[in-house]
Amino acid sequence: QVQLVESGGDLVQPGETLIIFCTPSAFTSQYDRVAWFRQAPGKEREPVSCISGSEYQNTDYIESVRGRFTIGRDFAKNSVSLYMKEMQPEDSGIYYCGTDKKSCCDGAWRSGDFRFGGHGTQVTVSS
């Protein structure tokens, strides 16, 4: 069973910076890709960013966060992070991380078969 623990969510003001973390379970292979998704109240969960497994060296982002968000992965610590700067109210939501047995963040990752197992972490951007 996949277990993931998301952490680091907080209330920030527009323009500020925040970093959140995901710790996949020991059953997540270093070859699996990991992605962040978010869900705002009343909306469906949407993909945000993807980072590949260790065989590849690629990341991808949705257009609205490209250039502001940076996804990172520490294989030694089995941790994935999402660094978010210049945050906007539209970035608010519960952020979840998911894992997928595919390794590369190709053009189809947004509709990939990701498994989620955590409660998410709340990110609120408001003045």
Side-chain angles (χ1 to χ4, degrees):
Q1 181 180 357
V2 175
Q3 293 180 334
L4 304 108
V5 178
E6 299 95 346
S7 64
D10 205 348
L11 169 64
V12 298
Q13 295 188 353
E16 290 189 336
T17 297
L18 183 69
I19 182 167
I20 57 176
F21 298 92
C22 167
T23 304
S25 71
F27 295 103
T28 299
S29 167
Q30 65 173 335
Y31 302 106
D32 296 346
R33 61 188 179 183
V34 180
W36 283 101
F37 289 70
R38 66 188 179 190
Q39 187 168 20
K43 295 186 177 180
E44 292 187 357
R45 183 159 51 191
E46 66 169 348
V48 176
S49 179
C50 176
I51 188 164
S52 65
S54 59
E55 288 183 294
Y56 298 88
Q57 298 290 331
N58 78 319
T59 59
D60 197 27
Y61 305 87
I62 58 173
E63 195 58 38
S64 63
V65 308
R66 196 182 305 274
R68 299 189 298 116
F69 288 14
T70 302
I71 190 170
R73 187 168 185 172
D74 186 331
F75 290 100
K77 296 181 179 180
N78 195 28
S79 175
V80 173
S81 61
L82 186 66
Y83 174 83
M84 304 178 286
K85 68 177 183 180
E86 300 171 11
M87 297 191 71
Q88 304 166 2
E90 306 86 80
D91 296 322
S92 297
I94 300 175
Y95 282 66
Y96 301 90
C97 63
T99 63
D100 185 339
K101 284 300 180 182
K102 292 186 177 180
S103 192
C104 180
C105 294
D106 55 20
W109 73 266
R110 293 169 179 78
S111 56
D113 186 22
F114 285 89
R115 299 162 296 165
F116 303 91
H119 297 293
T121 188
Q122 178 71 50
V123 174
T124 304
V125 186
S126 175
S127 56

